[in-house]
Amino acid sequence: MSQRTILRRCVSCKKVLDRKFLLKVTRDFQNGVVLSSGMGRSAYLCPTESCFEEAWKRKRLQKALRCEIHSSFFNMLQKQLNTCIDSDTEA
Ligand SMILES: [Zn+2]
């Protein structure tokens, strides 16, 4: 067993998935809310349009991270999402 599977729950659909399939959003103690990096409280989200919308409209990430998230972060996240979906199509 060379790779350990780390399971995390999506904040929107509540599905439990391998962490590598999820987007990680971290409330970094220095840099604020960041994607795929940072140290601090984290929340996970499926890289799908539906989970993104659910997270955005219902403030799932804000609730999970217990802080406000600027709309520019969501814009960035959505762009990231589109690249994730694009790269999935080749599989
Ligand atoms: Zn989800």
Side-chain angles (χ1 to χ4, degrees):
M1 292 278 276
S2 58
Q3 264 200 323
R4 200 156 62 102
T5 303
I6 300 167
L7 297 173
R8 289 290 180 264
R9 191 185 299 269
C10 170
V11 293
S12 290
C13 66
K14 310 293 185 194
K15 267 186 216 155
V16 176
L17 293 168
D18 190 327
R19 190 173 67 172
K20 68 185 176 207
F21 298 125
L22 296 164
L23 293 170
K24 182 190 181 194
V25 181
T26 302
R27 179 183 166 189
D28 186 85
F29 71 99
Q30 276 187 316
N31 302 314
V33 178
V34 291
L35 184 65
S36 311
S37 63
M39 294 274 287
R41 180 181 286 275
S42 297
Y44 293 82
L45 188 68
C46 303
T48 64
E49 202 72 42
S50 59
C51 286
F52 171 79
E53 275 192 18
E54 174 80 4
W56 192 2
K57 287 175 184 165
R58 296 183 186 272
K59 298 186 184 290
R60 299 278 195 195
L61 290 171
Q62 287 91 327
K63 282 170 190 163
L65 299 176
R66 297 177 191 166
C67 67
E68 285 304 311
I69 299 177
H70 198 267
S71 60
S72 65
F73 180 81
F74 283 99
N75 291 335
M76 186 273 286
L77 194 60
Q78 192 165 35
K79 284 194 189 111
Q80 191 71 28
L81 203 73
N82 292 333
T83 53
C84 283
I85 291 165
D86 287 348
S87 60
D88 275 355
T89 53
E90 67 189 345

